[in-house]
Amino acid sequence: MKAILKRLKPFCFFAVLAFMAWGLWALREQLGEALASANHLMLLGAGLLAAVYLFLNASVWGVILRLVGIEVSRWRAARLWIECESMRWLPGGVWGYASRVVEAKQVGAAKGPAALSLAVELALTVAAWASLGLVGTLLSPQLRAAGLVYLERFQIPPTGFFLVVGLGILAAGIVLFLDLFKLRTRIYNASREILRGLMQWRITLRAYCEYLALSLFYGVGFLLCLQAIGVDPLPSLLDAAGSYGLAWIVGFLAFGAPGGMGVREGVLYLVFAPLGIGAEVATAAILWRAIQIVVELLLLAVIKACYRKPVLA
């Protein structure tokens, strides 16, 4: 079986490249229109931000691995993360996680602890994006105004809406806390190490704060794309980051759509449509998506060229 999987790896790699290229091809018309009048210098800046974001976001896995007793440099964790997560472009959307569990032996992690680290990573990532979306929606006058337009359109009382949302967030928080508590218990049993309460929670909190800061940093790249195509009026950083937080969560729930492609752009269109800039924001989101795909392709090519041999733990 291992021999078969080893032989299939090159085919999987080229399949990933094919699907990423297909994603760019599918967006060719919108990209052509956007690039024709865009500020290319700002787009280059957005590309650099995307590269920094991708590496730093990948490196947080090195922090989370400490929860399962694996000490590994952030560079090694980021390298493996980027290489494996590219598999998410294959149909189904789960191959990125599955590949990382299998290949985690390269950083000294067995499949059990690696799977637990991915579960914690996923929970913290969702929590960070949800926090950004919630804070952005509550603090941004523009996003609140857009929300009120939809409430009036569907005749939903604002008080009742926010009450339901508040109860939903409270319930999600309780469930997340219980899940994390269970995960920590399972991590303890799997790693057989004494997890010293506050010290381990500091690691968890550190990873969450890093994801939250990186989500805001991601919003800066999106804002550059908005400015590059001349969206007027230009949303603030709070608008851009908060709206993308909401779009990220919806895209995450859209199982089967690689990276939430199409779903997140659609959500951003709906968010800003009441403000009269829905189409322009969606175009910028498509451009931002394309920039990330190109950056990921380049980083993946560099990793494949420079690290052909497995990294020994």
Side-chain angles (χ1 to χ4, degrees):
M1 179 61 72
K2 290 184 178 180
I4 294 176
L5 292 176
K6 187 175 181 179
R7 291 178 181 177
L8 287 176
K9 284 185 67 175
F11 294 100
C12 291
F13 173 69
F14 287 111
V16 166
L17 296 182
F19 277 106
M20 293 175 77
W22 173 81
L24 289 173
W25 178 255
L27 302 174
R28 65 189 183 281
E29 293 183 3
Q30 298 95 323
L31 290 175
E33 296 176 1
L35 290 172
S37 58
N39 184 319
H40 294 168
L41 186 60
M42 286 187 178
L43 294 182
L44 178 60
L48 293 176
L49 288 179
V52 173
Y53 167 83
L54 180 60
F55 173 76
L56 292 180
N57 185 68
S59 73
V60 182
W61 186 42
V63 177
I64 294 175
L65 281 171
R66 297 178 188 175
L67 290 172
V68 294
I70 305 298
E71 291 290 338
V72 60
S73 71
R74 296 182 68 138
W75 163 247
R76 290 177 61 193
R79 182 198 66 78
L80 185 59
W81 191 100
I82 293 171
E83 185 175 358
C84 292
E85 281 299 303
S86 63
M87 301 290 285
R88 74 184 186 280
W89 292 102
L90 295 176
V94 300
W95 302 108
Y97 291 103
S99 176
R100 196 152 28 121
V101 170
V102 173
E103 298 296 334
K105 59 186 178 182
Q106 295 188 31
V107 294
K111 291 182 180 179
L116 291 174
S117 74
L118 265 61
V120 174
E121 176 192 82
L122 183 60
L124 293 178
T125 303
V126 171
W129 279 109
S131 300
L132 186 63
L134 179 61
V135 171
T137 302
L138 294 177
L139 298 183
S140 168
Q142 287 76 18
L143 295 184
R144 289 204 309 271
L148 289 174
V149 168
Y150 286 108
L151 292 178
E152 293 176 0
R153 182 177 301 177
F154 294 102
Q155 299 182 345
I156 302 174
T159 304
F161 173 78
F162 285 110
L163 178 61
V164 172
V165 171
L167 291 175
I169 292 173
L170 178 61
I174 293 174
V175 171
L176 181 61
F177 174 79
L178 292 176
D179 284 346
L180 285 176
F181 182 78
K182 292 177 182 178
L183 283 172
R184 290 172 62 81
T185 302
R186 293 176 62 188
I187 291 171
Y188 173 81
N189 293 332
S191 62
R192 297 181 182 179
E193 293 184 0
I194 299 176
L195 303 180
R196 301 183 182 276
L198 288 176
M199 179 60 69
Q200 292 301 316
W201 279 115
R202 286 172 185 166
I203 296 175
T204 303
L205 183 60
R206 173 185 173 182
Y208 166 77
C209 290
E210 288 195 27
Y211 279 134
L212 186 59
L214 285 168
S215 299
L216 185 62
F217 184 76
Y218 188 97
V220 175
F222 180 44
L223 183 61
L224 275 179
C225 290
L226 291 169
Q227 192 170 0
I229 66 171
V231 176
D232 187 24
L234 181 68
S236 66
L237 175 59
L238 184 62
D239 299 334
S243 61
Y244 213 100
L246 295 174
W248 192 96
I249 292 297
V250 176
F252 169 75
L253 297 175
F255 301 105
M261 181 177 287
V263 179
R264 289 172 185 161
E265 291 78 6
V267 170
L268 290 167
Y269 171 83
L270 292 175
V271 168
F272 288 97
L275 304 179
I277 55 174
E280 292 86 348
V281 171
T283 300
I286 291 172
L287 194 56
W288 182 223
R289 167 85 65 178
I291 289 173
Q292 294 172 78
I293 293 176
V294 171
V295 167
E296 189 173 345
L297 274 169
L298 292 175
L299 288 180
L300 184 60
V302 170
I303 288 173
K304 285 293 186 181
C306 299
Y307 295 91
R308 296 180 180 179
K309 294 181 180 181
V311 178
L312 298 178

